[in-house]
Structure formats: C-alpha cells, structure tokens
Amino acid sequence: IVLYFVYILCMKFRSEPTVKDGTELIGEIVTVYVPNYQKFTCICGLKDGREISCSYSNSYSPGDIVPGDKVKICNYNNGIYYISKN
C-alpha cells in the first residue's frame, strides 16, 4: 500500500521532455564543434546534447568561426539553421 502512494506521488511530478526544433531554436546559443570553411557550414551542439548542421555568412573569413565558439541561431529557412556571432 505504501508503494502505491509513493507511485501516485511520483506520477504527479512526471514531466515529458520537450524537444525544440525548427523555428523554436531561433535565439538559442549553440557551440561550434566542426567548422567547414569551404562550404560556410558547421556542426553545432545544443544544450540538450543534440548536434545540428548550421550555415553562416560568407562574410566571415576562415578563422572567425572556430571550434568552441558560442554562436546564436538567428534564422531558420528550408531546413537550414543560420548562425551569427554574438
């Protein structure tokens, strides 16, 4: 009987994880893992551990975006995330 009440109490605090995707990620700060300077793309890590592919403006010169940089997702269009430095 005690286990039943403990179970009911735990179920009150149950929460479903929410996963942001698409336009919901605009404004999020991500970490650059692997920049690709020829294609102006990079692999970025989200706070929840997921990795996404991002694109950035060709106005950045090689070396402006380096692994470990914190960048912001500023736009999402046709499945592509666009980032900019803060």
Side-chain angles (χ1 to χ4, degrees):
I1 294 177
V2 173
L3 287 176
Y4 173 75
F5 288 113
V6 170
Y7 174 77
I8 295 299
L9 180 64
C10 290
M11 292 306 288
K12 287 182 182 179
F13 298 113
R14 187 182 84 175
S15 65
E16 296 293 325
T18 57
V19 177
K20 292 183 177 180
D21 204 13
T23 57
E24 296 173 333
L25 288 174
I26 293 175
E28 292 285 322
I29 303 296
V30 296
T31 304
V32 174
Y33 289 156
V34 183
N36 182 342
Y37 300 118
Q38 283 99 15
K39 295 185 179 181
F40 300 103
T41 62
C42 61
I43 303 296
C44 294
L46 297 169
K47 292 177 188 173
D48 63 6
R50 292 183 297 151
E51 295 178 352
I52 58 173
S53 180
C54 298
S55 182
Y56 55 92
S57 170
N58 59 4
S59 63
Y60 290 111
S61 62
D64 284 348
I65 304 283
V66 295
D69 276 354
K70 301 287 186 189
V71 294
K72 183 172 152 182
I73 297 175
C74 58
N75 198 0
Y76 177 77
N77 192 7
N78 294 329
I80 300 172
Y81 294 99
Y82 295 93
I83 59 171
S84 66
K85 290 193 101 169
N86 295 342

